[in-house]
Amino acid sequence: MAEIVLVHGIAQEQKSADTLEKEWLPDLAGGVRTAGGARLADELWRSARPGRLESRMAFYGDVFLKKGAQGAAEDPAELTGNQQELTDALALEWLRNARDRAPEPGDRRIARTVLYDIEGGDEGRQGRRSAGRAAVNGLARLKWFSRMGMGFAQRFVNKSLVQVTRYMTEPSVYEEVQQRIADLIGPETRILVGHSLGSVAAYEAALRLEGELPLLLTLGSPLGLRTLVHDRLDGEHQVPELVGRWVNLADKDDVIAAEPDLAKRFADPRGVLESDWTLDNGEDDPHSAQAYLTKRQTGRAVREALEPR
């Protein structure tokens, strides 16, 4: 059991809970320090003494590995017809976000052109699979994805789409991820942090809580994606009853965070949901977990949930 439970996002299958904790905890401590919590920051990362803050990563990346193989199952051809339709819809929604919100004018132009070819200029000519391939190829051309080369970008986009789709549509994957989060949550847990797809898993874990949770913190969350995520969630699209405070943070240029203001998507009768979409994570990777964790807004939320301690 841990006081802080962390849930990672997509494309982490070649890592482990230990390696991700080493990546996340210095960044989270840095955000807390920036927010004025030097002592708490030391307890998060630097302290080796008994009584330090216990933080654990709910790792599920290996769930997406092919059995008996080293690589990840990232080929859309392995999906069912219904899953493929959802994957294509997600790719199109990300493209629309890039068209409207990408920081680079060139990226907005690429997204606008690809969407016109798919939805406008060639309407009726492209089949479902060709439209899906066009959307993936369009995403891979965006600066955000393509900075490590087109081949890598296409694999990463496919991997991202497939992992989100499989989590949302395969009960065995969903339940395994949820169980790994539940195994780390206990009466002492005060904060549940989820990034990217991990924010979706964290939200749904919060719906299953048996005890109170002071803070749910979601970063770069696709919870507002209507077609594949929001409309397929468990529950009644409201703040989980046992969550004392829900803070959702998004960079305005983060196209994965489809609707950065989750107050538009989730009922909040107790007034505990706070959405801040003014973060600036830089143009190179606005969806970066590191960039989110080091922000003052993240550190402030964590500090307020832990003090007095």
Side-chain angles (χ1 to χ4, degrees):
M1 307 299 178
E3 291 172 87
I4 303 175
V5 176
L6 312 168
V7 191
H8 64 81
I10 54 177
Q12 304 298 316
E13 61 279 350
Q14 300 299 340
K15 297 185 179 181
S16 70
D18 298 271
T19 54
L20 285 172
E21 285 170 12
K22 287 183 179 180
E23 291 177 11
W24 278 44
L25 290 177
D27 294 329
L28 184 60
V32 171
R33 193 179 306 279
T34 299
R39 179 183 62 82
L40 282 174
D42 286 344
E43 291 187 23
L44 264 169
W45 178 239
R46 296 181 183 276
S47 176
R49 64 177 175 76
R52 65 166 293 176
L53 278 165
E54 189 74 12
S55 305
R56 287 289 179 263
M57 176 65 68
F59 180 72
Y60 62 89
D62 60 300
V63 174
F64 294 111
L65 287 171
K66 294 180 181 178
K67 292 183 178 180
Q70 296 301 312
E74 61 187 46
D75 185 359
E78 298 179 358
L79 300 177
T80 66
N82 181 56
Q83 287 178 318
Q84 184 63 60
E85 289 179 5
L86 292 171
T87 300
D88 293 347
L90 177 57
L92 287 169
E93 192 156 1
W94 280 354
L95 266 179
R96 295 185 189 106
N97 291 341
R99 176 194 62 195
D100 298 336
R101 295 181 11 231
E104 289 286 331
D107 282 353
R108 295 196 296 271
R109 183 169 55 253
I110 289 170
R112 185 166 57 248
T113 300
V114 173
L115 284 168
Y116 179 79
D117 289 341
I118 294 172
E119 301 176 326
D122 292 333
E123 187 173 4
R125 282 175 45 189
Q126 296 201 49
R128 177 179 60 81
R129 291 193 64 81
S130 62
R133 285 194 298 270
V136 169
N137 290 338
L139 286 169
R141 291 168 58 194
L142 303 183
K143 179 182 177 183
W144 181 12
F145 292 110
S146 66
R147 62 189 184 278
M148 296 184 69
M150 182 60 68
F152 174 87
Q154 289 177 325
R155 291 195 300 275
F156 183 82
V157 170
N158 276 325
K159 182 182 298 184
S160 302
L161 294 167
V162 168
Q163 289 187 5
V164 174
T165 300
R166 290 190 60 202
Y167 172 78
M168 298 303 300
T169 61
E170 295 183 19
S172 61
V173 171
Y174 173 86
E175 290 299 335
E176 180 64 24
V177 174
Q178 286 298 312
Q179 187 59 54
R180 295 190 185 191
I181 299 172
D183 287 344
L184 296 176
I185 293 178
E188 66 272 39
T189 303
R190 300 188 60 78
I191 302 173
L192 179 58
V193 184
H195 171 251
S196 190
L197 176 58
S199 71
V200 179
Y203 168 81
E204 294 189 301
L207 293 173
R208 299 181 169 197
L209 289 171
E210 297 180 357
E212 294 185 357
L213 177 73
L215 175 65
L216 172 63
L217 178 59
T218 51
L219 310 172
S221 179
L223 277 164
L225 283 167
R226 281 207 174 274
T227 303
L228 183 58
V229 179
H230 181 269
D231 293 347
R232 303 179 70 88
L233 291 171
D234 286 343
E236 301 297 327
H237 301 122
Q238 62 184 10
V239 177
E241 291 184 4
L242 294 177
V243 168
R245 182 186 185 194
W246 179 5
V247 175
N248 178 68
L249 301 177
D251 182 295
K252 59 183 174 55
D253 297 326
D254 185 350
V255 300
I256 304 300
E259 175 47 76
D261 184 6
L262 292 186
K264 297 178 180 179
R265 296 280 194 263
F266 293 87
D268 182 23
R270 294 180 289 122
V272 301
L273 170 57
E274 305 167 27
S275 269
D276 183 349
W277 57 97
T278 65
L279 276 68
D280 180 4
N281 290 342
E283 294 182 358
D284 288 342
D285 191 358
H287 190 59
S288 162
Q290 177 185 36
Y292 276 113
L293 291 166
T294 56
K295 290 297 177 293
R296 183 185 303 273
Q297 294 94 322
T298 300
R300 182 186 302 118
V302 170
R303 179 184 178 186
E304 291 171 354
L306 293 173
E307 290 183 335
R309 181 180 184 273

